Amino acid sequence: MPLLDAVSPIRGRRGRPRRKPRRLYADRGYDFDKYRRLLWKRGIKPVIARRGVAHGSGLGKVRWVVERAFAWLHQFKRLRIRYERRAELHQGLLQLACSLICRRLRTSY
């Protein structure tokens, strides 16, 4: 829940930016009724995989995008293993890596 509180305004259509996401995707590790209730109270639809149910919930389509992004970031060795002690340096390298990934995507499509 602290992670949801830290979400910055979500850009989108014109007008006042939204303060919360419409849906929250999560894996089986968050399959607790407590989390589902808290999300519904905040007006967020929980899309959480159920424990004990065979794979095929459909979350893999959404999760694949996130896992692929992490794989691209892990190509940069200094981000895979955090050598920097200062958070500002790590944040700067992370932003640089994201910029390079976006540039590569833009030129490839």
Side-chain angles (χ1 to χ4, degrees):
M1 292 303 138
L3 181 62
L4 282 176
D5 295 333
V7 171
S8 60
I10 301 167
R11 295 182 58 183
R13 297 181 179 160
R14 289 185 352 187
R16 195 178 82 204
R18 290 184 291 126
R19 297 291 304 171
K20 60 185 176 187
R22 289 190 183 111
R23 282 180 233 96
L24 182 104
Y25 295 94
D27 60 5
R28 289 184 170 100
Y30 297 96
D31 183 27
F32 296 103
D33 289 333
K34 171 187 167 185
Y35 293 136
R36 291 179 193 277
R37 280 193 304 271
L38 288 171
L39 289 171
W40 279 117
K41 284 181 184 177
R42 292 179 179 219
I44 301 171
K45 180 183 177 189
V47 183
I48 304 173
R50 294 276 183 190
R51 288 184 184 181
V53 177
H55 290 282
S57 62
L59 286 178
K61 296 175 191 172
V62 178
R63 187 172 173 165
W64 179 79
V65 176
V66 176
E67 297 296 333
R68 180 185 57 187
F70 284 141
W72 285 342
L73 284 173
H74 282 168
Q75 290 178 355
F76 300 91
K77 185 176 181 183
R78 291 193 79 100
L79 293 176
R80 190 177 331 139
I81 300 172
R82 185 173 172 177
Y83 293 107
E84 275 64 57
R85 291 177 186 240
R86 295 177 38 200
E88 308 89 47
L89 289 175
H90 184 72
Q91 181 71 25
L93 289 171
L94 182 63
Q95 290 173 344
L96 178 63
C98 289
S99 300
L100 292 172
I101 290 170
C102 288
R103 182 172 180 259
R104 188 181 316 154
L105 286 174
R106 187 173 180 198
T107 58
S108 67
Y109 289 110

